[in-house]
Amino acid sequence: MAGHKHGVSVSQSVHAEMLTVLSFLEDLCGEVEDTIELASTDAHLRMALHLLQGHFEARTVTPTSLIGASGVPYATANRRMKDMMKAGLIDQRPRTKTRKSFSLHPSDKLLSQWVQLSGRVQRIAEGHFGGLGSATNPQDYYFGGSYAAAHSIPPLPIRSEPLRVSGGIRVLVHGDPTFMVMENLKRQFEQSIGTQISQRAFSIDRLRDEALRNADRPTSRYDIIAVDLPWIGEFADRGVLMPLEDAFDVAALDPADFHTAGWKATHWGGRAFAVPAQTTPELLFYRRDLLAAAGLEPPATTDALLQAARTLHQPQRGLYGIGWNAARGTALGHTVLMTMADFGQPILNLPEVAGGFDTDRLADRDYRVTIDTDAGLQAAEFLRELLSYSPPDILSMSWYERVRPYAQGKIAMAYGYTLLAPYFELDETSPAYGQTGYLPHPVGPGATAVAPIGGYALGIPSNLAPERLPAAAEALTLFTSPEAQKLFVQNGSRTNARYSVAADPDVRRASPIFEAVDGMSWRDELQFWPRPPVPEIAGIIQICGEEFHDMLRGIQNPRDALRRAQDRADALITPRPKT
């Protein structure tokens, strides 16, 4: 898939940036030693550089290889290595159960010292020679200016003892660009936890089916599974996931660091069932250059959006006004729920509260579907009009199909999740490269701006074998840590679940998305109530995606589509038992 392709190329570029300062120092040492006869080899420095290179390249460093890199006789190098161990600069990790063989890794102390040194080296080089690389380069990574600024997140830590789990850690994920980045970085994660990681990826509907099949097995095939946020209620009710508190101390995750909407969306009945791995709101992507040329402001309302789409829609030139999820079933169903939210109404009769609607008591099951309403009719008519300014194949467009033509310059605006932004943010040949603005959904009269939250969380299956639980909990904590989230971003991901990561200077330089989304979160525009995670939500989404598709095809009118969708969705809701 294209996301996978982007991830590979970016990862290779980032690795080159990561090793720039290390290579510079190593070459400088060699030149000084070769040029000045009395200059002696600094074994400590050479061994530290070798150790750091091994860490960032996910390559195993042994005592033998470290001694070989020292540039001094064996006995001297052995003493220097022991000095570094005594100083707490080197961590040893057993490679075998007999503990007779060890791999060597930079300690947190050495990594911290390297972060400080690399920043000073780059500033000195830039001051004297123009630098080792542009400080504005969005691909700056660990080295140079990357960790010079305050509050920078350090590299992945190395576990002192490898995780002991038969067959390694097994993960079930969605086949999107962020999880493909995780696959590309597998060696780094394997080095961090000391065991193999195997990952299976599925499309959204197949992922849900596999997770439900897995729950029916006597023992889970996976240690960790990815969960689309709207599935949380269903997976909690059906026992697919175990509560996080049964696996580890939830406070250790630093819940306050997660975007509020993303963290709340992983809860059911007051208990957390998963950890946000991607917080990816659906936004309006728009071409700043095209709007400016047409004399248009970025559209904040549905009326302004229709006007912009109408103005920019020039099919005779191969340019269409807007792309969106309109494929039958799940894809269009998501659009229907989000469009109703744009007109100020959730798909369920949720109580209204300041900043949105209350979702805290969904587990009480005291709710009903609200589709056949005035706001529902406004949403239906809006989508029918939007159809006029869309590509001719819009009714088969879904998650990727709406963003690819936007990246190719064939569509002026598109609704899209931030996780799909690499299609144009990482492709310098794209007409949308460097020309894309990001907005929450334009809203109807009287409604409040909303950026409907999406993305995936990682949870632990309820039927996981007990002996595997400690390893699964530790791997889950690592995969959702600030260090991991930053690593994903620097290798091409455009999703992030944590405030600390959004504040990191490297992440801010990587894409304007992170600052934009962070601002939306602080303004309470990130919301998950447009797709409330009740057990029936998958069925409701499917129904809306079928009935509204028939409406868009002209088979039925908007009022009939609303009535039929309401009746079918009502039949899914099991009334709460009377007490």
Side-chain angles (χ1 to χ4, degrees):
M1 67 188 301
H4 196 139
K5 179 181 177 183
H6 282 310
V8 173
S9 62
V10 173
S11 179
Q12 290 169 346
S13 172
V14 167
H15 285 166
E17 293 289 338
M18 284 167 54
L19 298 173
T20 298
V21 175
L22 283 169
S23 298
F24 170 73
L25 288 176
E26 193 171 41
D27 291 345
L28 181 62
C29 287
E31 289 295 328
V32 171
E33 291 162 8
D34 291 343
T35 304
I36 302 175
E37 292 183 1
L38 296 179
S40 60
T41 298
D42 187 331
H44 288 134
L45 178 58
R46 284 194 171 276
M47 293 166 83
L49 294 176
H50 183 74
L51 200 63
L52 288 162
Q53 279 185 317
H55 176 66
F56 292 124
E57 291 179 340
R59 175 170 41 81
T60 300
V61 176
T62 65
T64 301
S65 66
L66 190 62
I67 287 171
S70 68
V72 298
Y74 181 90
T76 303
N78 195 41
R79 288 195 300 271
R80 298 292 182 269
M81 182 174 66
K82 290 180 178 178
D83 289 344
M84 293 176 73
M85 290 178 179
K86 187 176 180 179
L89 301 176
I90 298 177
D91 286 341
Q92 297 184 86
R93 187 162 70 192
R95 299 179 68 190
T96 62
K97 292 182 179 180
T98 62
R99 306 180 73 85
K100 292 182 179 179
S101 175
F102 293 87
S103 58
L104 303 180
H105 306 271
S107 67
D108 288 343
K109 180 179 179 181
L110 178 56
L111 286 170
S112 177
Q113 291 176 351
W114 168 251
V115 164
Q116 297 173 29
L117 174 63
S118 64
R120 291 196 295 269
V121 167
Q122 177 133 345
R123 288 196 298 276
I124 290 169
E126 286 175 349
H128 286 279
F129 309 114
L132 298 168
S134 170
T136 61
N137 184 349
Q139 297 304 330
D140 273 354
Y141 194 61
Y142 299 142
F143 305 97
S146 169
Y147 283 110
H151 309 300
S152 284
I153 296 168
L156 283 177
I158 294 293
R159 197 175 189 275
S160 59
E161 292 279 335
L163 284 181
R164 301 295 184 190
V165 58
S166 176
I169 296 294
R170 305 166 305 196
V171 191
L172 175 66
V173 300
H174 180 234
D176 62 47
T178 294
F179 283 124
M180 292 304 98
V181 166
M182 183 175 172
E183 174 69 14
N184 296 335
L185 295 169
K186 189 170 72 167
R187 286 182 61 199
Q188 276 94 324
F189 284 99
E190 288 176 339
Q191 185 188 54
S192 181
I193 62 177
T195 193
Q196 180 183 354
I197 299 170
S198 57
Q199 181 171 297
R200 293 189 71 193
F202 289 102
S203 62
I204 183 170
D205 291 329
R206 290 186 62 205
L207 174 63
R208 179 172 174 272
D209 291 343
E210 175 61 13
L212 294 174
R213 278 196 301 270
N214 185 67
D216 291 334
R217 295 172 180 133
T219 304
S220 175
R221 288 184 183 175
Y222 311 100
D223 300 296
I224 298 169
I225 60 175
V227 183
D228 193 17
L229 291 179
W231 304 341
I232 291 292
E234 178 186 14
F235 281 20
D237 255 17
R238 296 177 66 165
V240 177
L241 299 172
M242 70 170 59
L244 293 182
E245 63 195 38
D246 292 351
F248 53 84
D249 179 12
V250 177
L253 294 169
D254 191 10
D257 188 37
F258 289 97
H259 284 292
T260 304
W263 177 248
K264 287 185 65 177
T266 63
H267 286 62
W268 183 253
R271 306 173 82 186
F273 282 85
V275 185
Q278 307 174 12
T279 295
T280 175
E282 183 176 89
L283 307 179
L284 179 70
F285 304 157
Y286 65 92
R287 287 279 299 279
R288 295 197 306 262
D289 54 338
L290 295 180
L291 263 70
L296 297 169
E297 294 293 325
T301 67
T302 51
D303 285 344
L305 178 67
L306 289 171
Q307 174 61 35
R310 185 182 304 114
T311 302
L312 298 172
H313 187 65
Q314 302 174 45
Q316 69 278 7
R317 293 179 48 203
L319 179 66
Y320 302 95
I322 190 164
W324 42 292
N325 259 10
R328 187 179 184 86
T330 302
L332 177 57
H334 283 270
T335 293
V336 171
L337 269 62
M338 292 178 182
T339 306
M340 286 187 177
D342 298 340
F343 285 91
Q345 179 190 287
I347 196 70
L348 303 175
N349 63 328
L350 303 177
E352 192 166 358
V353 296
F357 293 86
D358 186 15
T359 55
D360 289 344
R361 302 186 63 83
L362 290 175
D364 294 346
R365 308 292 288 271
D366 188 18
Y367 50 78
R368 59 181 177 81
V369 178
T370 50
I371 297 175
D372 192 3
T373 64
D374 290 343
L377 183 60
Q378 287 180 296
E381 291 175 340
F382 170 75
L383 292 178
R384 280 215 306 178
E385 188 167 355
L386 210 59
L387 195 66
S388 303
Y389 315 119
S390 303
D393 57 344
I394 187 66
L395 294 181
S396 62
M397 279 190 174
S398 59
W399 321 102
Y400 300 99
E401 288 80 7
R402 58 181 171 168
V403 173
R404 283 180 182 139
Y406 175 81
Q408 295 164 356
K410 299 176 181 177
I411 296 177
M413 300 180 291
Y415 287 104
Y417 285 113
T418 60
L419 69 85
L420 299 177
Y423 281 109
F424 50 86
E425 280 207 349
L426 302 180
D427 182 2
E428 295 184 15
T429 67
S430 168
Y433 178 81
Q435 293 290 348
T436 296
Y438 303 100
L439 286 175
H441 276 218
V443 293
T448 302
V450 173
I453 206 75
Y456 288 83
L458 296 178
I460 298 176
S462 293
N463 57 340
L464 182 66
E467 66 272 13
R468 302 184 67 87
L469 182 55
E474 184 152 350
L476 174 58
T477 301
L478 176 70
F479 295 158
T480 56
S481 68
E483 294 87 352
Q485 297 262 311
K486 177 173 179 177
L487 191 58
F488 296 152
V489 169
Q490 294 289 354
N491 282 269
S493 170
R494 290 298 178 261
T495 71
N496 163 51
R498 289 180 176 267
Y499 288 112
S500 62
V501 177
D504 184 281
D506 297 334
V507 171
R508 293 266 178 161
R509 283 197 294 270
S511 169
I513 276 185
F514 298 108
E515 185 172 1
V517 171
D518 211 33
M520 293 175 201
S521 182
W522 289 113
R523 293 191 300 270
D524 275 340
E525 291 170 351
L526 294 191
Q527 298 286 342
F528 72 95
W529 60 259
R531 297 185 304 162
V534 296
E536 303 88 357
I537 196 65
I540 294 171
I541 289 171
Q542 183 68 26
I543 288 167
C544 289
E546 292 170 356
E547 297 299 337
F548 275 64
H549 199 265
D550 285 347
M551 177 198 74
L552 293 173
R553 292 168 58 209
I555 295 175
Q556 58 183 343
N557 63 44
R559 291 192 180 278
D560 286 342
L562 292 168
R563 178 181 51 78
R564 286 177 54 84
Q566 179 75 49
D567 291 345
R568 290 178 62 192
D570 281 340
L572 295 179
I573 306 296
T574 303
R576 185 178 61 167
K578 299 295 182 181
T579 57

